[in-house]
Amino acid sequence: MAKVNISLDAELVVEVMVLAGVGSPQDAIEVVVRDYIARGHRTEARTEPRDQGLREVDAKPQEPQG
């Protein structure tokens, strides 16, 4: 797996470590990123049926007006 090195504010990382209950900065950031991705997937799962319904309504031919 490819690795990425980034610089972050130390206070920010320490706060994440405390909130996540992890002992290393690497683990703390991984927890945050994985949580962010999981939330995105949950949001997609909740909104997909509604979006699909909207697409179906838009795809139906409209009645002539006038």
Side-chain angles (χ1 to χ4, degrees), residues 5-28:
N5 292 320
I6 58 172
S7 297
L8 294 171
D9 180 4
E11 289 181 23
L12 180 67
V13 175
V14 169
E15 188 168 347
V16 171
M17 289 172 61
V18 170
L19 290 171
V22 297
S24 78
Q26 176 76 31
D27 291 345

Side-chain angles (χ1 to χ4, degrees), residues 20-58:
V22 297
S24 78
Q26 176 76 31
D27 291 345
I29 300 309
E30 284 187 14
V31 165
V32 170
V33 172
R34 290 180 191 280
D35 181 61
Y36 182 81
I37 291 168
R39 285 181 187 203
H41 289 302
R42 289 191 303 266
T43 299
E44 287 174 2
R46 282 196 320 250
T47 60
E48 185 177 354
R50 186 192 74 187
D51 290 345
Q52 184 63 31
L54 292 174
R55 281 189 215 107
E56 290 172 1
V57 168
D58 289 341

